[in-house]
Amino acid sequence: MSSLNLLILVCLAYVVFLFLVAFAAEQAGVRGRARWLLRSPLVYTLSLSIYCTAWTFYGAVGNAARSGFEYVTIYLGPSLVILGWWWILRRLVRIGRSHKVTSIADLISSRYGKSNALAIVVTVMAVIGVTPYIALQLQSVTQSLSIFTAAEEGWSETGIGSNAGTLWIAAGLALFTVLFGTRNLNANERHHGVVIAIAVESVVKLVALLAVGVFVVWGLAGGVAETLARIDASAIGTWQVDGSRWTTLIFISAAAFLCLPRMFQVMVVENDDERHLHVASWAFPLYLMLISLFVVPIAVIGLEVLPEGANPDFFVLSLPLSQGQEGLAMLSFLGGFSSATSMVIVATLALSTMVSNHVVMPVFLHLRQGTATQSGDVRDVIILSRRLSILGIIGLGYIYFEASGGSGALAAIGLVSFAGVAQFLPAMLGGLFWRGATKSGAMAGLGVGFVLWMFTLLFPSFGRDVLLSTQTFDEGLLGLVWLRPQALFGIEGLDPIVHSVLWSMVLNTASFVLVSLLTFPHPLERLQGAQFVNVFEHSAANRGWYASVAESEDLMIMSQRILGAEEARRLFDGQAREQGLPGHLPEPTPEFLQVLERELSGSVGAATAHAMIGQIVGGTSVSVQDLMAVADESAQMLEYSSQLETKSRELSQTAAQLRAANEKLTQISYQKDAFLSQISHELRTPMTSIRAFSEILRDTEGLGPLEKAKYANIIHVEAIRLTRLLDDLLDLSVLENGQVTLHLQTGSLAVLLDQAVAMAQASEARAIQIRRRRLDETITLHTDLDRLSQVFINLITNAQKYCAAETPVLRIEVTRLKGRIAVDFIDNGRGIPVESRDVMFEKFSRIGAQDGNGAGLGLAICREIMTRLGGDVSYLDATGGTGFRVHLPENLAMAAQ
C-alpha cells in the first residue's frame, strides 16, 4: 500500500473514531450517564486547547526558526488571561450562564440593549476576521500532505499538493463539520460531543508533538545537554527582542483568547461549572508549556539536519520523514490534522450559530409575519442555514487561500486573524466594566477599528495589486500620503502588525469612549449595563432563582420608587386582598404581574416596565439597587422631556381641581355649619326636655304616681337619645383616629342579617318590608361581627327613615363577585341626587328627604367601619330606588356551607 493511500486510510479512520467519540458522548449526555466526564474540569481544560491550532503545531517551530523566542508571545497572552481568570473570565462565564449567551455576537448585542443590528455587525466582522485563520488550516493540511507524499511520482504537481487538492480538502472539512456539528439542535447551543472530541484531539496533538520532541532531543541531538549546547550555538539564541512587537503580540494573543468565536464557544458557552476556571487557570498554562516544550529544539535541529530552503513551518513533519520514521511522521501528521480539523469544526460551528441566530432567523421571521409557523419548520430552517453557513465560511477560507497565494508563513496569517478579532475587545470589556458604554459607542468603535484593520493589514496581506494597488501602497489612498496602508498618518518604520494594531485599537477605543460619552443609553441598555457590570452581586448563578417573597419585596421597592409609596402600597394591598393575603405582599402571579406592568407603564413606558419586571421575576442578575437607579433615571428623563409639553395642561388641570376642591370645601363648610346647627339643636332638644321635666319632678308637689312615671319616662327617652348622639360622635372619632380594636369572631352571614333586621325594626323608625333570599346568605364569616352588624343596622335604618315610598320595601341581596361577597341594600325610594353623591359619605352630610332628622353620621360611620374591616361601602345606582353595596373581602368569607 502506498504512503498516500495509507495516509488517507488513517485519516478516515481517525475521523470515524472522533465521530464515534462525539456520538457516544452525546448519547451519554442524553441518558444522563458519565456526567463526571462530560462536566469534568479536565475535559474543560483540554477543550481550551482549541487555541492551539495548526499554527501552534506547525507554525510555532517555523516562527522560532525565523524569529527566535518570539513564538513564546503567542502563549504568554492567553496564559496571563487565564491566570487572572477571576478578573475577566469569571465575569464572562457568569454573564454567559445568567443570560444564556450563545456566542460573542450574542454577548455584545445583549449588553447593548439586545441590538440585533449590533449582532449582525459583530457576526460579519467575525466571519471576515476568522477567514484568514481557516485559510491557515487549509494551507497547513495541504502542505503537510504534500510533504508527506513528496516521494510519490508526480504528486506535487497534480495531486493533493495542487490547488485542486486544496479544494478537495476544504470540501472534506466542510462535510465533516456539517456531519459533526449540525445533526441536531441544542437549546443552549452546547455540544458535549464536540467538546469530548476536542479533548481527545488535544491529547493526540500533545502526544504527537511531545513524541517528535523526544525523538529530536534523544534520537537526533544526543540528549538534553547536547541539545542545549546546540541551541546556544544557533542563530536562535542571538535573536534580539523587539519590545514593541513582543508587547503587541502578547496583547493580540490575549485579546484573541477572549474574542475568537471558537474560544468563546468552548470557554463560555460550553462551560458547565464556573469552578472549572480555577482548575484551568493552572492546567491550561501547563498544557501550553508542554506543547511548546520542544519547539526550540525541533527548530534548531531542523535547521541543522534538513536541507537549506526547507520550510521550517513543517520541521515537525519533515524531521521524522528525513530519518525514515514513517510511523512517527504519521503520528505527527495526525497531530497537525487534529489541530486543523478541531479549529475548523468549532470555529465554523460558532460562526454558523451567529449567522443563523442574528442574520438568517430575523429575516426568516420577518418574511413569515402573519402566517402560521410550525416549530418543525423553524428547526429545519435553522439547521439548513447553519449547514449553508459552514459551507460558505469554509469557502471564504479557501478563497482567501487562493487569493493570497497560500505561500505566507503560518504565523503571519494567524496574526492577521488575531488582530482582526481583537477589535471586539473595547466593546466587550467596556460593556463588562463601564455602565456608561452605549450601543452607539460600541458600533462606532467596532466600525472604525475594523475598517482600519482591513485597510492596514487584511488587504495588504493579499499582496500588491490584488485588493490594493501599488500606487495606494506608495502614495496613499486617493493620493493622500498620510493614508498609506503601512504608514498611516505618516508614521513609518513600524512592523506591519504593530502599525495595524496600534492605529486600529487606539482609534477603536477612542471612538467607543467618545461616542459613549456623547450619547445616552436607552432604558434597556441601562438595565443590561447594570446587570453586566454588577453581575456578581445579584446573578442567578451566585444565589439561585429569586424566591417569590424576595421577588415581591423587590417589586414593591421598585414600584414605590416609580409610583410613589402611597400608590404602590394601595396597589399591593389591593392585590394581596384579592389573593386572600391581607397584611402580606401579594404573590407574583401572572395576573398580578400584568396589573403591575400596566401601572408602571404609565410612568416609564410599556417596554421599560416589561423589562424591569422581567429582570426581577426572570431570575436574572440585575440588582434592585440598579433597577432603582435606572428607575430614577427614567423618571428624570420622562420629567425633563415632557415638562414643557405638559406645563399648560397641568396648570389647567390644577385649576379645574382647585375649582372642584373649592366647590367641595364650600359644600363641606355648608354641611359643617348645618351640622353645628343640627348638633346644637339635637343636643339642646333632649337636654331641654330632661331639664324641664326634671324641674317639674323636683318643684311640683302633689304629683301622682302616674304623672311621675310619665315624666321619668320622658327623661329616660331623651337621655337615651342624647347618649346615642354622643356615642355616634365618639365612635366616628375613634374610627377616624385608627384607635379601634377589632374583635374577630366566626359567624353566619344569615344570622348576622337576622339580628340586624330585628334590631332595626325594634327601633322607633317606621316599619319597612324586608325581602331576602336566605339561600344566598349561607356564608360563614370571620370578622368583627358586632361592627359589621352596626353597618347593616345603619343601612336598614336609613331605608326606614328616608325611603320616600308610601309602602317602603327593602331588598337585601347577597352575590359573589370575582371572589368577593357583595351585600346590597336596595329600597324602592327615589334615589340620591347625582350632585349629592360625592359628599354623601362625608361627616355631617344630610341629604334629600332627611327633613332634619339625624346628624348625618350614619354613612360616615359605615365607611370607616368597612375600611377597618378591609372592605368598602358604596352607593349603588339602582333603578327606581336607593341602593348601597357592602363589599366583604375574600378573606372574610371562610367557606360556603
Side-chain angles (χ1 to χ4, degrees), residues 724-738:
R724 185 184 302 119
L725 179 59
L726 294 175
D727 285 344
D728 284 347
L729 289 171
L730 179 61
D731 200 14
L732 184 59
S733 176
V734 169
L735 289 168
E736 287 182 334
N737 293 331

Side-chain angles (χ1 to χ4, degrees), residues 723-792:
T723 301
R724 185 184 302 119
L725 179 59
L726 294 175
D727 285 344
D728 284 347
L729 289 171
L730 179 61
D731 200 14
L732 184 59
S733 176
V734 169
L735 289 168
E736 287 182 334
N737 293 331
Q739 299 172 348
V740 63
T741 300
L742 299 179
H743 302 284
L744 301 181
Q745 298 171 290
T746 300
S748 169
L749 176 60
V751 172
L752 199 64
L753 287 171
D754 288 342
Q755 295 172 353
V757 169
M759 294 182 67
Q761 290 181 335
S763 67
E764 299 176 357
R766 61 174 176 167
I768 189 170
Q769 183 180 352
I770 307 293
R771 295 179 180 176
R772 297 164 56 191
R773 180 177 172 82
R774 301 185 64 87
L775 183 62
D776 297 335
E777 300 170 2
T778 56
I779 297 173
T780 301
L781 304 177
H782 183 71
T783 185
D784 190 326
L785 299 179
D786 293 336
R787 287 292 185 181
L788 187 57
S789 177
Q790 185 179 353
V791 172
F792 292 164

